[in-house]
Every structure is written in C-alpha cells, then in structure tokens.
Amino acid sequence: MTTTTAHLPVVVIGAGPAGLAAAAHLTERGLLPLVLEAGPAAATAVREWAHVRLFSTWGELVDPAAEKLLAPTGWIRPDPAVCPSGGDWVEQYLQPLADALGDRVRLGARVTGVSRSGRDRIVDADRDQQPFVLHVAHTDGREERVFARAVIDASGTWSTPSTAGASGLPALGEKGAADRITYRVPDFDDPTVRARYAGRRTAVIGSGASAFTALAYLAGLATSDDGAGTKGVWVLRRGISGSTFGGGSTDQLPARGALGLAAKAAVDEGHAEAVTGFRTEAIERDADGRLALVGEDGRRPDAVDEVIVLTGLRPDLGFLDELRLGLDERLQAPAGLAPLIDPNQHSCGTVPPHGHRELSHPESGVYLVGMKSYGRAPTFLAMTGYEQVRSVAAALAGDLEAADRVDLTLPETGVCGGAGLFDDPATARTDAAGCCATPETALVQLGVRAPAAAAAVDEAPAGGCCGS
C-alpha cells in the first residue's frame, strides 16, 4: 500500500550546529523539521568541549538561514572576527537558535533505528513511496515510532572516538587501562582534571589539531606554579616533516596555524618529547601501576602516568543498518563525497564545494550531513556543513536549481592536502592536484624555536578543525 508522506516532517537527527542549521533552512523553505537530540540540551557534544577555542571565527560559524530565524528574537550577532570557544558558540548562538526553533527540537530523544515503514533493507516493492520510520528511545524509558518524509542525519561523530591501536582496533590492554586513558582534550581549568595531570608524565597519541591542543595545554601546565614536573610524550605513527605542524603563518585560519606552532614549541622547549613512527600494539601496566606503551616493532618508551588518545573520530552507523546507504569502503562517507574529502589528497581548505548530489544514497530521501558526512576524514569545517544543509533543504523543497548551485570558498591550511597522514615523510605527496603547492617535504629539526605565534594562541588554544 502506498502511503502519502507530504504531511510528514523532515526528521533531523542531532541538535548540533549542522542539525540546527538544517532545521533553519527547512523552516525557511516552508518544510516542517523535527530535530531529535539524544542529549539533555541542544549541542550536547559541543558542550563537552566547551573549554576549547575554535579555529573558525564567528563570521564562519553563523549560518545565514539561522541568522534570519534569530533576528526577530533580538539576537545580536557576535564580532565576526573573533574565534569563540565551544562554550561561547553554545551560549551565544546554538542555544538561542534551538530556543527559536522551539518545540521543533525534542531533547532526550535518542534514535535507535531508521528504516522504511514496513520494508527492511531487502524489500524493493513500493519502497520509495513508504515513509521513513524512526525508533526513538526517551530518557524516561518510553519508546516511540516517528514517521518522516525524509531523514537528515546530523548526529556527528563525537560519541565514537577512535582507539589507540594502530590497526583501528583497541590496543591489547587498552580497555583494561580505561581508568588512565581519556579520548578527549582535557579541561585544564577544572581543578580535578588539572590535578590528574600536574607533575605527571602523559602520552598524547595523535597527530592532528586535538593532539596539538593537548600538547599546548600540557606545556602551559608545566610552566604554571602547580604544574612543575609535568611532561608530555607525543606519540606519532609517522615521522615529523615540514607539514606535521600545519601551515603556520601561511594558514588562512590564523588560530589553526598558530596552534601547530604552539605544539612545536612544546617539544622545542622540552615540555614534551616526540616518539615517532610508533604504532601502538599494547598498553601494559607496570609494577607501579603506570602504563607502558608497546609498539608493533617491540619498542617500549618509558612508562607514563596517563594517556590521551586523540586519533580521530568515526561515524556510528549501527542505527542506520536497515537503510540502503552508499558509503565509501575506506572513509565510511557517502560514496559521491569521499573522493572530494580524501585526507590523503585534501586538507580543510582544498575540499571542493558539494551538496545534495554528492550526499545522496541509493535510499532516496536520506542524507548524512555535517561531520558525520565526512566519515573518518578529519578535515571538516562548520561552513561546509552549512552549505550542505542549504543544498539538501533546497532539494527536499523541489528547488533543484538552488540545490545544485553550491558555492563555498574555504580557507587554505597552508599545507598540501594529505599532509599529516603519511607514516614516512619521505613518501609524502608534494604534487597533489588542486592543492596549495608546497616545497618538497623536509624533516623538521626539533629544538629550534618556532616563530612567535603572537596572540593567536592564548590561554585557550584552538582545537578541532572547526568544531562540528
């Protein structure tokens, strides 16, 4: 039996930056959005890294349709040149936007499954004519079914961090050492957190912006009155080359460039030591309860007291299992988008504009947007997500001309696409097409002070490619 879906809402999964922007664009298009947020408040994930400052400025973090929705409420746009913290983003934009959307945002509503009504993924008959059905679990124990004309999954990747193990699986002993391991950038302004790391030796596993942030924080703690003896051990799966620390002063997002310089300074000034070419195979406790990292090659650096694992994030696809998704086998991103965001080829600033067509799947009417659309790729920027949801909303409204007209200019990183993912600097690409041409990759001499980063990195180093 064919079911009419025109009266049903477009369900948006996740009330983060991309999800709320999607709701604003759908509203502007005259479509009814229903945002289902698993957490107790809008932007729950962003609230968990409220202490971290974003690379992007306010001018790049406010969606145009959202701004129109906020204008009648008396909302005042923050200074477009300022880089806010995650907490600022929530307080001054995301929460007001959720308030403006009102009962179109439901909190404490976790989506546990999505399918076509009466059709599992095997059944073809009248499939596209059936509404989507979402199973939703509420915090009070209730379960319900919600029907939708289309589904926009903007749930992000925050809840599923990658592990310390170089194979993509947890290192042997990693789960047993959970009391000494965190997968987030710690908030060193929290006295309890500060006491956990002060005067101790901490391994930071990872080579991206979050690892830079953690190293900068540890260096700041080491030079503080209560942090004497604090030491970082930076564990990288690759060598250190000219692109390891990002684009520096050539990065068009100054806070992002300055963060890499701050991480290099942490090593140069002796607050952290680098262990390169190290693939973690196991994490073992010694007789004193400290943790020893064991590499695939048998190396065992000196034991540490704590481990901060910042090896990236990955999408939770389990609740979408009954949908026919077309995902890239490597990145777990939409197949049409994956070649455009491949981190072996692209950095944050070299991703070309893309919209509903690249985000589409064999299952018509379902879209993964925002950070989730990037799968395991780490190069996402908020403005990318805003353009995605603008295009998707236009497509759902039937305005294909507007949906196909994607226009996005991203700030260059100052390094060639793919820099930062190679295990051996000698094999790094220096000729990636469409990339910001860089000199031949060269090893960096640690211990040589990086150029001053001025005030771009202050008491709250920037972290995350943009905050998603």
Side-chain angles (χ1 to χ4, degrees):
M1 181 178 69
T2 300
T3 304
T4 301
T5 63
H7 66 288
L8 295 175
V10 176
V11 170
V12 179
I13 306 174
L20 294 174
H25 281 277
L26 291 167
T27 299
E28 186 176 51
R29 286 282 178 176
L31 301 176
L32 175 64
L34 175 60
V35 183
L36 300 177
E37 166 59 45
T44 295
V46 180
R47 293 173 192 271
E48 293 187 15
W49 50 267
H51 57 289
V52 177
R53 184 162 59 87
L54 286 85
F55 292 148
S56 302
T57 64
W58 275 116
E60 298 149 342
L61 294 172
V62 174
D63 176 81
E67 185 170 6
K68 292 178 185 176
L69 192 63
L70 284 165
T73 69
W75 178 77
I76 300 175
R77 199 179 202 273
D79 184 343
V82 171
C83 291
S85 67
D88 296 333
W89 204 13
V90 170
E91 181 180 353
Q92 299 178 48
Y93 170 65
L94 296 173
Q95 186 59 57
L97 179 54
D99 292 341
L101 288 164
D103 60 8
R104 286 167 283 184
V105 179
R106 294 185 190 174
L107 305 175
R110 179 177 297 278
V111 176
T112 59
V114 186
S115 186
R116 289 280 189 177
S117 181
R119 307 288 190 274
D120 64 21
R121 67 185 297 164
I122 298 175
V123 179
D124 292 333
D126 297 326
R127 185 176 188 87
D128 287 349
Q129 283 71 51
Q130 304 305 312
F132 290 96
V133 58
L134 296 90
H135 283 202
V136 182
H138 296 271
T139 51
D140 61 5
R142 291 183 301 114
E143 291 183 292
E144 71 167 325
R145 290 185 304 169
V146 174
F147 294 94
R149 62 186 294 179
V151 176
I152 298 175
D153 183 357
S155 60
T157 56
W158 177 255
S159 63
T160 46
S162 296
T163 61
S167 64
L169 302 173
L172 298 179
E174 183 172 346
K175 293 181 180 178
D179 61 317
R180 296 290 187 90
I181 301 175
T182 184
Y183 298 86
R184 313 295 188 200
V185 176
D187 181 1
F188 285 89
D189 288 334
D190 183 322
T192 302
V193 172
R194 196 173 183 85
R196 175 175 175 174
Y197 296 96
R200 292 178 170 82
R201 182 176 170 87
T202 298
V204 177
I205 304 178
S207 61
S210 294
F212 292 170
T213 303
L215 290 167
Y217 276 142
L218 286 169
L221 181 59
T223 57
S224 66
D225 293 339
D226 60 341
T230 302
K231 185 77 172 183
V233 181
W234 189 17
V235 180
L236 300 96
R237 295 171 183 169
R238 61 189 182 89
I240 293 180
S241 71
S243 63
T244 297
F245 300 98
S249 60
T250 64
D251 194 316
Q252 291 181 3
L253 288 178
R256 181 172 56 191
L259 179 59
L261 297 179
K264 184 176 187 299
V267 178
D268 292 342
E269 295 170 2
H271 302 307
E273 60 189 64
V275 178
T276 60
F278 190 91
R279 296 176 175 273
T280 306
E281 182 176 79
I283 300 177
E284 300 176 352
R285 290 186 188 268
D286 64 16
D288 298 324
R290 304 179 82 202
L291 300 181
L293 304 183
V294 183
E296 289 181 348
D297 57 3
R299 280 188 290 164
R300 301 172 65 99
D302 292 343
V304 298
D305 301 289
E306 299 285 343
V307 178
I308 302 174
V309 179
L310 300 168
T311 53
L313 302 164
R314 55 185 66 182
D316 176 8
L317 300 168
F319 65 90
L320 303 176
D321 195 48
E322 289 302 323
L323 296 176
R324 298 175 176 181
L325 301 182
L327 298 174
D328 179 74
E329 67 275 8
R330 293 176 304 131
L331 297 182
Q332 296 179 295
L337 175 61
L340 309 181
I341 63 171
D342 183 351
N344 292 293
Q345 306 287 338
H346 294 285
S347 63
C348 292
T350 64
V351 173
H354 57 273
H356 74 109
R357 295 195 185 278
E358 292 81 5
L359 297 170
S360 64
H361 294 274
E363 190 83 69
S364 62
V366 61
Y367 300 92
L368 277 59
V369 302
M371 189 66 213
K372 186 145 187 186
S373 73
Y374 271 43
R376 298 196 185 196
T379 51
F380 183 78
L381 288 167
M383 64 182 83
T384 301
Y386 295 159
E387 181 62 8
Q388 287 179 343
V389 298
R390 184 207 61 77
S391 174
V392 167
L396 291 175
D399 187 353
L400 292 183
E401 181 181 357
D404 289 336
R405 190 177 59 248
V406 289
D407 183 20
L408 183 64
T409 302
L410 298 175
E412 295 286 356
T413 60
V415 297
C416 191
L421 289 189
F422 301 99
D423 297 319
D424 181 357
T427 65
R429 288 172 58 96
T430 58
D431 61 347
C435 204
C436 46
T438 55
E440 183 177 355
T441 303
L443 292 177
V444 169
Q445 181 181 356
L446 295 177
V448 177
R449 185 71 169 88
V457 172
D458 52 24
E459 70 280 358
C465 213
C466 76
S468 52

